[in-house]
Amino acid sequence: MRTEESDPMHNDGVGDTRTEQLVREFDHDEAVGEALAGLHEETQKVEVAPMSRGSLLKRAGLVAGGGIAGMLIPASLARARDGGTKANDVKILNYALTLEYLEAAYYAEAVESGALSGTVLYFAMVVSAHETAHVGLLQSVLGAKAVKKPTFDFKGTNRKSHSFLTTAKVLEDTGVAAYQGQAPLIHQNAVLAPAGGILATEARHAAWVRDLLGAGKTVKPAPEAFSTPKSMSEVLKAVKATGFIKS
Amino acid sequence: MSQHTPAVDVSHLAVIDTDGALREAADRVNNPSRRGFLRGAGLVIGGAAVSGLVPGSAFAASSGDVAILNFALTLEYLESTFYAQAKKHAGLTGAYKRFAWTVHEHEAAHVGALQKALGKSAVKRPTFDFGAAVQSQTAFGATAIVLEDTGVQAYQGQAPNITSNAIFEAAISIHPVEARHAAWIRNITGINPAPYVVNPALTKDQVLAAVTGTGFIK
């Protein structure tokens, strides 16, 4: 079991420079990606005999005491959602992957545009790294079942500072509602745990961009006491309406 | 389902939902499992149209779920009292003030909702002493970061343990709000609002160790 000091997942970040935090985030990627690659093996298999939850988690190296104990709860306490299926988990993961493809592309273009500076550029760089890492993580879990990356046209919204921020706010708020909407439907705890971690990260992104926009005056980083979920159909409808996805 | 499990009313944790989610919720009613039936009782999800089935109704929750709700309530008591005291003593201005006033409202709402859900099973508010943490803006900011970050990790760690789907959905309606709080105060103080690719979770024991380590609970 790692100590707090050596465990990259235990990260209070309070004393770190932003560069140190960015570096540690990339360490996070490898640990998470490798651990979930084990889960990827499981999702490829045809189910011939039922696999117990305990052995699934052990195969994926996800039991307590493994390198990601700070992120995932111990197997003995884990409980798969009732209802839902592994097949539907694949559908949910691909839905998440589609949204992450969109965000990753959006932010990467924004950073490359040269139009951003200062705290807005810093926001775009950090979030771009996160969304790209989320894409990698989801692709790793899904393996051959991963949907392909669409082509996007962001209509110049990510090439000017203010429209970048207002659009990013919509993307992040939508991402939060999307993950929150799907969480109750996720069947496998090994999928639920990282989904919860990504949900929290997207919520942090959402609050951050709102603070950049309104400094807590006109736009509140946390607009409500209870977050509102959105269904897959509602989110996909809203995404389609943006016209950002070309194919 | 045990005859002796306490009734828990989560209707006050309800959030307004969309037609699509209501349809998905209705689909789950067709799940033949016992818990599918409980989900179909129409709690939490939706506004009047769905909870009109059994408005304000209570249902049996596992003792594990009650313990988790009380764990959450304890953390929310801690946060709401912290903000209440900081508002009085910390000399907050500008962005700090806007943050504290809004977040206090949220945490108080969380306390109220959890107390209502738990009814007689709710733990009482502990006595707190925040000392220097609420005496200056700087100390307030640093402490708020720790409390909010810990709150996120606590909800995230417990959510998968929740057996009732209604309570699970209520918990994950609070978890992202705490994450927003954490990012907000981090940005105000000038540190990275989103330090994790994937936010970590903590076990209940880890959270309790962190909280008791603060010395805030008397």
Side-chain angles (χ1 to χ4, degrees):
Chain A
M1 185 83 106
R2 296 187 198 186
T3 63
E4 283 190 12
E5 284 74 34
S6 65
D7 185 346
M9 301 308 290
H10 191 98
N11 175 354
D12 67 14
V14 174
D16 288 342
T17 65
R18 287 174 175 180
T19 308
E20 285 168 283
Q21 287 166 354
L22 272 172
V23 167
R24 203 184 296 115
E25 280 151 25
F26 285 108
D27 281 343
H28 279 204
D29 290 350
E30 291 183 18
V32 169
E34 281 164 15
L36 289 173
L39 175 62
H40 153 236
E41 281 177 34
E42 289 309 320
T43 60
Q44 304 313 302
K45 287 190 162 79
V46 174
E47 270 190 85
V48 174
M51 173 92 56
S52 73
R53 238 176 284 129
S55 59
L56 169 68
L57 290 168
K58 283 204 188 88
R59 267 310 261 288
L62 299 176
V63 291
I68 42 176
M71 183 180 83
L72 296 173
I73 60 171
S76 58
L77 297 177
R79 209 184 303 262
R81 293 285 101 205
D82 280 335
T85 60
K86 278 177 84 169
N88 197 56
D89 279 1
V90 171
K91 186 181 167 199
I92 292 171
L93 288 167
N94 268 320
Y95 163 59
L97 178 55
T98 300
L99 298 178
E100 298 287 352
Y101 277 141
L102 190 154
E103 287 181 320
Y106 183 80
Y107 286 105
E109 271 186 29
V111 171
E112 285 159 30
S113 73
L116 311 181
S117 62
T119 54
V120 176
L121 177 59
Y122 177 70
F123 162 76
M125 287 171 61
V126 170
V127 176
S128 181
H130 290 175
E131 311 302 14
T132 300
H134 294 165
V135 166
L137 189 160
L138 290 164
Q139 284 177 324
S140 161
V141 172
L142 284 159
K145 296 185 184 176
V147 291
K148 296 287 166 275
K149 179 174 151 177
T151 52
F152 301 106
D153 175 1
F154 297 112
K155 305 175 191 304
T157 57
N158 54 354
R159 297 182 186 280
K160 287 184 208 149
S161 191
H162 186 71
S163 58
F164 162 72
L165 289 172
T166 56
T167 307
K169 168 175 164 281
V170 173
L171 294 180
E172 296 296 341
D173 281 346
T174 300
V176 174
Y179 276 99
Q180 192 187 333
Q182 293 307 305
L185 307 172
I186 294 172
H187 178 63
Q188 301 169 84
N189 259 315
V191 174
L192 179 62
I198 295 176
L199 168 59
T201 291
E202 302 295 353
R204 287 178 181 270
H205 295 169
W208 188 356
V209 70
R210 280 166 164 267
D211 203 31
L212 288 170
L213 272 166
K217 293 181 205 171
T218 50
V219 182
K220 279 195 181 161
E224 46 191 7
F226 299 96
S227 184
T228 309
K230 284 192 158 78
S231 69
M232 190 184 291
S233 55
E234 183 179 2
V235 169
L236 291 176
K237 187 175 158 193
V239 168
K240 189 176 171 187
T242 63
F244 288 161
I245 300 186
K246 300 217 51 87
S247 61
Chain B
M1 191 175 359
S2 158
Q3 303 289 11
H4 306 290
T5 50
V8 178
D9 173 7
V10 293
S11 60
H12 293 274
L13 290 162
V15 293
I16 304 303
D17 207 344
T18 64
D19 285 347
L22 294 181
R23 276 198 295 276
E24 285 173 9
D27 287 343
R28 294 203 298 274
V29 175
N30 297 323
N31 184 313
S33 75
R34 170 173 58 81
R35 288 194 182 109
F37 169 75
L38 285 176
R39 283 201 293 275
L43 296 157
V44 172
I45 303 177
V50 170
S51 66
L53 290 174
V54 204
S57 69
F59 64 96
S62 68
S63 59
D65 285 354
V66 170
I68 290 169
L69 287 176
N70 268 321
F71 173 55
L73 178 55
T74 300
L75 297 177
E76 297 288 352
Y77 279 144
L78 175 72
E79 289 178 322
S80 67
T81 310
F82 168 71
Y83 288 111
Q85 292 194 10
K87 283 163 71 177
K88 284 188 206 153
H89 305 296
L92 304 178
T93 59
Y96 285 90
K97 185 174 179 180
R98 290 191 290 274
F99 168 79
W101 257 253
T102 295
V103 173
H104 181 223
E105 263 184 45
H106 292 173
E107 311 301 13
H110 297 165
V111 166
L114 289 164
Q115 282 177 324
K116 275 207 151 79
L118 285 158
K120 289 178 195 159
S121 303
V123 291
K124 298 281 169 281
R125 186 186 295 262
T127 308
F128 300 106
D129 180 356
F130 294 101
V134 293
Q135 299 298 329
S136 73
Q137 189 157 277
T138 311
F140 161 77
T143 307
I145 288 169
V146 172
L147 295 184
E148 295 293 343
D149 280 349
T150 302
V152 179
Q153 293 171 328
Y155 275 101
Q156 201 174 308
Q158 291 308 304
N161 298 337
I162 296 169
T163 57
S164 150
N165 220 56
I167 295 177
F168 176 81
E169 286 163 7
I172 64 166
S173 78
I174 295 177
H175 162 249
V177 174
E178 304 294 356
R180 286 178 182 265
H181 293 169
W184 187 0
I185 185 61
R186 277 170 164 267
N187 204 41
I188 290 171
T189 66
I191 66 166
N192 183 353
Y196 315 109
V197 172
V198 179
N199 209 100
L202 290 175
T203 65
K204 187 172 174 178
D205 285 347
Q206 289 171 324
V207 172
L208 290 174
V211 167
T212 54
T214 63
F216 293 153
I217 304 184
K218 294 291 127 192

